Amino acid sequence: MVRRAVFLLILPLAGWAAGPTAVETSRAVKNAGLDLDQCYRVRDLSLYKEDIKLYFNEGYLIFSKPVAGERIAAVFTADVEGGDGEVLLLPPQRGERQSLARFTGSPNLNEHFTRALLLFTDDTARQLLESIEKGSGRKAPEMAPLLAEQWAPVVSNILDSFAPRIAGDLLTPGRKDGLLLTALAGKALGNFDVIYDPAASEQVVVGQLMERGQRVVYDVWTRFAARRFRSGAAAPPDPLFSLTQFRIEASLDENLRLRAVTRATLKIGSQPLRAFAFEVSRAEQVTAARMDGAPVELLISESTRSRALRADENDVFLLTTPDALAPGSVHKVEFEHEGALITSPGNGVYSVGGRSNWYPRSGSAFADYDLVFRYPRRLTLVTPGDIVMDTIDGDYRNTERRTPVPIRVAGFNLGNYEKSSMSAGGLTVDVFGNRNLDPALQPPPKTTTYTQVIPMGPRTPPRRELTTIVQTPTPPDPLARLNAVAADVSASFQYFSGLFGPPPLKTLTVAPIPGTFGQGFPGLVYLSTLSYLDPLERPAAARNATLQTFFSDLMAAHEVAHQWWGNIVMPKSYQDEWLFEGLAHYSALLWLEKKKGSKALDEVMADFQADLLKTGEDSQTVESAGPVTWGYRLEASKTSEAYRVITYEKGAWVLHMLRKRLGNERFLKVLAEVRRQYQFRAMGTADLLDLVKKSLPPGVSADSMEVFFDNWVYSTGIPTLRVKYSVKGKAPSWKISGTVEQSSVDVNFSVDVPVEIQFAKGATQTVWVRTSNEPASFSATLKQPPSRVDVPAGVSVLAVRK
């Protein structure tokens, strides 16, 4: 699990004196109207921002009134004869051009627009006004009242959506750069946004707010680093602050409502700082905050638009101090928060919501945790760490656990549990299962209708009556596989420790969660209640061979593998989420292969390929929705399964093909090196490529790995391959020559694929061939004639055999 980038970013104060509060500044932003004295008729007015080119060819432009001495918005309308605006943008990467083309029909953005609403905290106002003064416009006071009347509600609405972000920037006098958001009404594409944010990891975003399935989503058409960041002329900003040494004191009342006080050590980064952005679950309310014991201001203001841009289930709030805090200084921050995080589907079964953000957080840095809980003693509460205190107080239980090493995030679970424990090799596994059945898993009643013949007498025909019997099936045992799950988790925990090195937390707790999913947190795994059932008693929808393998063999191992992938080594950004889900998934497949053999692995890989090749209503394959590096962006795809199938299943395929290219021994050494070099640090896709290049077998070039990542990771496509060949000569020197033809992918797709030459006796000989849009040739000298020559499509390479 990877956190999304927080669009609300608060920049540090350059000065030290206390100024207007965040609430006051935010209120001023929301109430900023249009300035009737700053309305212009413009012609051939342009605005360049890195890769973004905006042209206001003919129309009217009106600015907002100043807030804190700065203009923060402007409106352009082309509602004049010959009126027109235009935006140009060329994504630098092939995958991003594919993305833009998927949404717009073109790999480049060249759209004319009739209206534009601009929000900015950079020097956009200055640039535009200077150009107007130089001859690109003239005052048009006669249009000002009409434009203000038409646009005031729209401007007020969007300023309200971004008021916290704008307020944060305005609290930064002397800043050198800021946000530019342009909401455009395109002539062909409709309403969409073009955004430049220098504080983001990818500064340029083009996208559109949409409703899909009664949910507001933000379709990201393209997103990439701006030119000066790509060239190295500018570096992404360092973290503004970090959090360490959490102490959380939480209580759950009889209704399981959470009330908590979260304290953490906060260290300021390299610049003085007054405003701090935090995230917390939407199910909670932050009621108070203190810095070094003194109350501080909270600004809690979220909108549908800002939430959709972040694409997560959390809210962002702003904490501001009266004065800027010194660079490098260390402080104690404290929050009071509460909410109804725990729900129950009934029958004494519980589900914890907001699992990763049940307490205020910012970022995913490793930290020490001291976790104190007070909760009804009738339940069992589990959380990571070593026991420090465990007491009974009437109907309540008090427990305290402390993590022996820093972890990324702390979770908890609770329920009416049965426990199965196993220990081996210095590692302990505690697996908890629900004593009661999740109501969703209760089989539906069975209805039987039959005709009953009732005799009526010697001269009267018998009467026939329909009788209906409703039978309630025996409920499944919710603990049927408790010991089997414990054994499998313990064995996989040991196996992964041998492959990747010992885990920092020597005890792993597994506890159930209603639903069809699981999650792997440091020292704590949430496991679907379906995994605890006898396979024959699972719901009919989960009884096919693929899902039985998933719930019995893959899910638990996947979440156990997250103890390494995501919790020891963490992703640098959302673009690297695929790597950690793919590593967890493929680690589970390695465990499956060890238990049941290579055939079981091949069957799962074939299922994954079939999922990737499924087509939707638009006749496009699931895989074509985007590269694995798109992460959360795939959730906005028109294909509902795109995120899961591409991130997890194609991610596993990428690693499977990498294993085939490097060889098993080198591949496993690379994974062990990932853990060794990046323990308690963030790692990106490019870092994996660098490690792979240092571990290549003879005959495999670094260039071939660049090609591998360019096509399988950063782009899309599953090729259809056809092998043609001929054999000439005689024993003991046969000559084989042939070609590999590629189709069903774009003309730029090119990868190395293995051509396997099999014989009646002896080992298979493999020739690697680089495909292209033209037939790729290969040849080899053989000691005996081949019995079969083909590409192992769907087995060793993600491809379809023609």
Side-chain angles (χ1 to χ4, degrees):
M1 176 193 61
V2 178
R3 302 305 326 131
R4 316 301 189 205
V6 178
F7 192 80
L8 164 61
L9 183 78
I10 305 304
L11 300 176
L13 283 177
W16 291 79
T21 68
V23 171
E24 292 169 344
T25 306
S26 178
R27 187 182 301 117
V29 168
K30 295 176 185 178
N31 295 330
L34 295 174
D35 192 339
L36 300 184
D37 292 330
Q38 293 294 318
C39 181
Y40 300 88
R41 174 68 183 267
V42 296
R43 174 177 295 171
D44 298 331
L45 178 64
S46 60
L47 176 65
Y48 295 172
K49 198 71 176 182
E50 295 289 336
D51 300 80
I52 304 167
K53 296 181 179 180
L54 292 164
Y55 300 96
F56 307 98
N57 298 323
E58 189 78 35
Y60 290 101
L61 184 70
I62 184 170
F63 290 88
S64 72
K65 295 175 182 177
V67 176
E70 298 185 39
R71 300 189 186 278
I72 57 173
V75 172
F76 170 81
T77 175
D79 192 17
V80 297
E81 184 177 353
D84 180 55
E86 186 178 7
V87 59
L88 299 178
L89 182 141
L90 173 62
Q93 293 96 14
R94 189 172 107 205
E96 292 301 329
R97 292 193 291 273
Q98 288 177 331
S99 174
L100 187 60
R102 185 173 178 85
F103 286 100
T104 69
S106 172
N108 305 324
L109 183 64
N110 183 355
E111 175 75 350
H112 290 264
F113 56 85
T114 57
R115 297 178 302 278
L117 173 57
L118 290 75
L119 301 185
F120 37 79
T121 58
D122 60 357
D123 62 349
T124 290
R126 180 188 59 77
Q127 288 188 48
L128 292 175
L129 288 169
E130 285 181 357
S131 295
I132 289 170
E133 290 176 4
K134 292 177 181 178
S136 294
R138 59 173 175 80
K139 280 285 186 79
E142 71 282 0
M143 286 297 297
L146 178 61
L147 292 177
E149 180 181 359
Q150 291 177 338
W151 282 93
V154 179
V155 172
S156 176
N157 181 60
I158 199 165
L159 282 175
D160 183 54
S161 295
F162 291 96
R165 168 61 196 266
I166 296 172
D169 282 9
L170 293 177
L171 290 173
T172 312
R175 67 187 178 279
K176 296 181 179 179
D177 209 347
L179 173 72
L180 170 62
L181 184 148
T182 308
L184 304 172
K187 291 184 177 179
L189 299 176
N191 296 334
F192 65 98
D193 302 328
V194 178
I195 302 169
Y196 171 77
D197 182 2
S201 59
E202 293 168 306
Q203 297 78 31
V204 179
V205 181
V206 181
Q208 186 177 51
L209 198 67
M210 298 287 290
E211 283 192 25
R212 188 170 295 125
Q214 297 182 333
R215 188 168 66 99
V216 177
V217 299
Y218 197 86
D219 283 343
V220 177
W221 295 356
T222 185
R223 183 170 191 164
F224 55 87
R227 183 180 292 112
R228 66 188 173 103
F229 291 89
R230 296 196 306 272
S231 68
D238 293 329
L240 300 177
F241 64 96
S242 60
L243 298 171
T244 60
Q245 297 176 323
F246 280 85
R247 179 178 172 85
I248 305 175
E249 298 175 0
S251 66
L252 296 165
D253 63 20
E254 189 58 34
N255 296 317
L256 301 184
R257 181 175 179 83
L258 176 81
R259 290 177 175 83
V261 176
T262 294
R263 299 179 179 90
T265 299
L266 183 150
K267 184 177 181 180
I268 308 298
S270 59
Q271 301 179 65
L273 191 62
R274 182 186 170 194
F276 306 81
F278 289 86
E279 288 186 84
V280 74
S281 167
R282 252 173 241 179
E284 285 196 85
Q285 300 81 44
V286 178
T287 57
R290 285 172 285 277
M291 186 75 77
D292 296 327
V296 290
E297 184 184 37
L298 288 173
L299 175 60
I300 304 171
S301 178
E302 282 279 54
S303 67
T304 300
R305 191 184 192 94
S306 61
R307 284 170 172 164
L309 272 165
R310 287 200 318 278
D312 62 25
E313 297 300 319
N314 304 312
D315 276 345
V316 173
F317 66 93
L318 181 66
L319 177 154
T320 59
T321 56
D323 302 296
L325 304 181
S329 59
V330 178
H331 306 270
K332 296 293 184 181
V333 64
E334 178 180 321
F335 300 97
E336 295 179 16
H337 52 102
E338 62 179 87
L341 284 171
I342 300 168
T343 58
S344 173
N347 202 28
V349 175
Y350 302 97
S351 177
V352 177
R355 288 173 294 279
S356 62
N357 275 82
W358 59 277
Y359 57 96
R361 297 174 60 213
S362 182
S364 297
F366 291 91
D368 296 313
Y369 282 83
D370 193 354
L371 303 167
V372 182
F373 281 90
R374 178 179 172 82
Y375 55 96
R377 63 180 294 186
R378 60 186 170 83
L379 301 175
T380 300
L381 187 143
V382 295
T383 194
D386 299 331
I387 293 178
V388 176
M389 175 265 292
D390 188 2
T391 62
I392 301 295
D393 180 12
D395 292 333
Y396 285 84
R397 188 170 196 148
N398 302 296
T399 62
E400 179 178 0
R401 286 182 177 265
R402 194 171 294 152
T403 59
V405 295
I407 61 176
R408 281 186 65 200
V409 60
F412 75 93
N413 204 353
L414 88 166
N416 183 11
Y417 293 148
E418 190 77 30
K419 177 183 176 183
S420 178
S421 296
M422 293 189 177
S423 297
L427 303 178
T428 298
V429 167
D430 294 327
V431 177
F432 294 84
N434 288 320
R435 289 192 172 98
N436 303 320
L437 182 69
D438 177 358
L441 302 180
Q442 172 66 47
K446 292 182 179 179
T447 302
T448 304
T449 301
Y450 65 94
T451 302
Q452 184 178 11
V453 179
I454 303 174
M456 301 300 293
R459 300 190 179 190
T460 304
R463 191 175 78 232
R464 298 176 181 272
E465 290 185 355
L466 289 178
T467 300
T468 300
I469 298 177
V470 178
Q471 295 176 310
T472 301
T474 302
D477 179 2
L479 297 171
R481 296 188 69 247
L482 177 65
N483 292 329
V485 170
D488 192 65
V489 168
S490 179
S492 64
F493 200 32
Q494 294 285 330
Y495 176 66
F496 296 147
S497 298
L499 292 181
F500 316 132
L505 297 177
K506 306 305 180 186
T507 298
L508 178 61
T509 300
V510 179
I513 189 166
T516 59
F517 65 95
Q519 280 186 290
F521 282 27
L524 177 63
V525 165
Y526 299 89
L527 188 63
S528 168
T529 48
L530 283 166
S531 292
Y532 291 84
L533 299 186
D534 184 307
L536 297 178
E537 293 187 320
R538 289 173 183 154
R543 284 189 205 154
N544 64 63
T546 298
L547 289 178
Q548 294 285 38
T549 298
F550 176 68
F551 287 114
S552 294
D553 296 306
L554 293 180
M555 176 182 277
H558 172 105
E559 304 306 344
V560 170
H562 270 310
Q563 297 306 301
W564 287 265
W565 315 127
N567 291 324
I568 293 179
V569 185
M570 67 179 185
K572 281 185 176 177
S573 75
Y574 78 90
Q575 292 181 312
D576 309 306
E577 184 174 347
W578 78 272
L579 177 56
F580 293 84
E581 295 298 350
L583 280 169
H585 225 38
Y586 198 66
S587 296
L589 290 170
L590 291 174
W591 175 236
L592 177 69
E593 183 182 40
K594 180 175 176 60
K595 290 194 301 181
K596 298 187 175 181
S598 59
K599 183 179 179 182
L601 171 63
D602 291 343
E603 289 174 351
V604 175
M605 299 310 296
D607 287 340
F608 288 177
Q609 176 165 302
D611 289 343
L612 288 160
L613 288 170
K614 287 178 182 176
T615 56
E617 295 179 0
D618 58 359
S619 299
Q620 299 293 313
T621 64
V622 173
E623 190 272 344
S624 68
V628 292
T629 53
W630 282 6
Y632 79 93
R633 291 166 56 179
L634 295 166
E635 293 176 348
S637 169
K638 297 175 183 178
T639 306
S640 61
E641 291 287 284
Y643 172 79
R644 180 189 63 81
V645 172
I646 293 172
T647 302
Y648 291 72
E649 299 184 0
K650 186 179 179 183
W653 252 111
V654 169
L655 294 164
H656 184 61
M657 291 187 289
L658 194 59
R659 178 188 178 195
K660 296 296 183 181
R661 193 69 173 109
L662 297 180
N664 187 63
E665 183 177 352
R666 291 177 186 271
F667 174 74
L668 293 178
K669 284 184 177 179
V670 167
L671 299 192
E673 193 65 15
V674 167
R675 186 263 167 84
R676 189 187 71 81
Q677 287 198 27
Y678 291 94
Q679 176 168 299
F680 302 134
R681 294 201 295 138
M683 176 189 174
T685 303
D687 297 318
L688 175 64
L689 175 57
D690 288 341
L691 288 178
V692 167
K693 287 180 180 178
K694 296 174 183 177
S695 305
L696 298 176
V700 179
S701 67
D703 170 71
S704 68
M705 289 296 99
E706 294 277 1
V707 170
F708 181 99
F709 275 70
D710 284 345
N711 289 274
W712 291 122
V713 176
Y714 295 112
S715 189
T716 62
I718 298 177
T720 297
L721 302 175
R722 181 178 183 182
V723 178
K724 295 181 179 180
Y725 70 95
S726 62
V727 180
K728 297 179 180 180
K730 58 183 180 179
S733 181
W734 298 85
K735 302 288 185 182
I736 183 173
S737 59
T739 59
V740 178
E741 297 178 357
Q742 172 181 277
S743 59
S744 305
V745 288
D746 70 46
V747 295
N748 296 314
F749 191 90
S750 175
V751 292
D752 295 333
V753 299
V755 176
E756 292 186 348
I757 305 170
Q758 301 174 7
F759 307 97
K761 295 181 179 180
T764 298
Q765 186 172 333
T766 301
V767 178
W768 288 87
V769 181
R770 181 164 298 180
T771 66
S772 70
N773 63 328
E774 298 291 337
S777 301
F778 69 91
S779 62
T781 300
L782 314 175
K783 292 183 179 180
Q784 57 179 308
S787 60
R788 178 181 173 86
V789 179
D790 210 345
V791 172
V795 178
S796 297
V797 62
L798 181 57
V800 177
R801 181 185 296 110
K802 186 173 182 180

